[in-house]
Amino acid sequence: MTALHRALTDPGLRPLPERVSLLLRELDAPPRLAAHLRAVHDVAAGLVDWVRERHPSLGVDGEAVLFGAATHDVGKTVHPSELSGPGGEHEPAGYALLREHGVEDRLARFARTHASWGDPDIGIEDLLVSLADNVWKAKRLPELEQHVVDMLAAASGEPKWQVFMDLDDVCDRLAAGADRRLAFQSAYPAA
């Protein structure tokens, strides 16, 4: 059993969509990348469940959020130095890679939008992927969270303070599992 196979199948985190697992195997993705994508996907699933429960009228495309979380860093297969160091070259590379593999734009876009959450044309699905990509390791970004609050409050009509409190609670709950997710990711080699 290869390290990539274990990263994709070990229990403890939700499995990635089968389409994504197959793609990561085809790309011979670094095992640590697969583990990272599972960690972010796991948190994204919690966020999607929460939004669907608390803000059902928003009509969040949960499939897109989960696929986006599961593939947001796929460009690091092309730019492996960004697995352990800074850089944004993986974002356009990931989008191009997904499109080359037949992934439709509505799902591939997250590879290039997950770090662009401040752009004015970013939607709630993009923000949820960005949020999951931070909360998985208990990182909280007030400006990002405020964008989410603004969008949810506008859609629901709830007061911003109430949406903020609810979002803060769910982020705290999800961030509480960060040590487990970080250990899961660290258990796999970067190459």
Side-chain angles (χ1 to χ4, degrees):
M1 180 183 309
T2 68
L4 175 58
H5 178 78
R6 283 193 320 278
L8 291 170
T9 60
D10 277 356
L13 296 176
R14 299 171 209 236
L16 296 175
E18 185 61 26
R19 181 179 181 190
V20 175
S21 291
L22 290 171
L23 176 62
L24 293 174
R25 284 184 173 101
E26 182 182 333
L27 296 171
D28 196 24
R32 184 163 298 158
L33 174 60
H36 169 69
L37 294 173
R38 281 191 65 197
V40 175
H41 174 264
D42 194 61
V43 170
L47 289 170
V48 166
D49 290 346
W50 175 79
V51 170
R52 284 180 171 164
E53 178 184 317
R54 291 285 297 127
H55 301 277
S57 64
L58 195 56
V60 166
D61 185 347
E63 175 200 4
V65 172
L66 295 178
F67 190 91
T71 59
H72 73 283
D73 277 346
V74 73
K76 291 182 179 183
T77 60
V78 179
H79 297 282
S81 66
E82 293 183 15
L83 278 169
S84 57
E89 292 181 47
H90 71 278
E91 295 158 13
Y95 174 77
L97 186 65
L98 290 170
R99 295 295 288 147
E100 288 167 15
H101 282 83
V103 175
E104 56 271 30
D105 184 70
R106 79 178 189 84
L107 298 176
R109 77 176 194 257
F110 299 100
R112 63 176 162 69
T113 65
H114 71 274
S116 306
W117 48 265
D119 290 354
D121 58 341
I122 293 296
I124 188 65
E125 289 84 3
D126 304 274
L127 291 175
L128 291 174
V129 170
S130 298
L131 189 58
D133 192 28
N134 286 283
V135 171
W136 80 273
K137 59 185 174 189
K139 184 176 181 182
R140 303 289 299 272
L141 297 175
E143 189 178 342
L144 169 58
E145 291 178 27
Q146 189 61 54
H147 285 300
V148 175
V149 165
D150 292 345
M151 203 167 280
L152 293 175
S156 69
E158 288 185 40
K160 286 185 182 184
W161 66 265
Q162 182 64 57
V163 176
F164 171 83
M165 301 251 318
D166 292 346
L167 180 65
D168 188 53
D169 286 346
V170 74
C171 287
D172 278 349
R173 182 174 48 80
L174 292 168
D179 288 344
R180 178 179 52 87
R181 288 185 297 269
L182 285 162
F184 179 84
Q185 177 181 291
S186 295
Y188 296 98

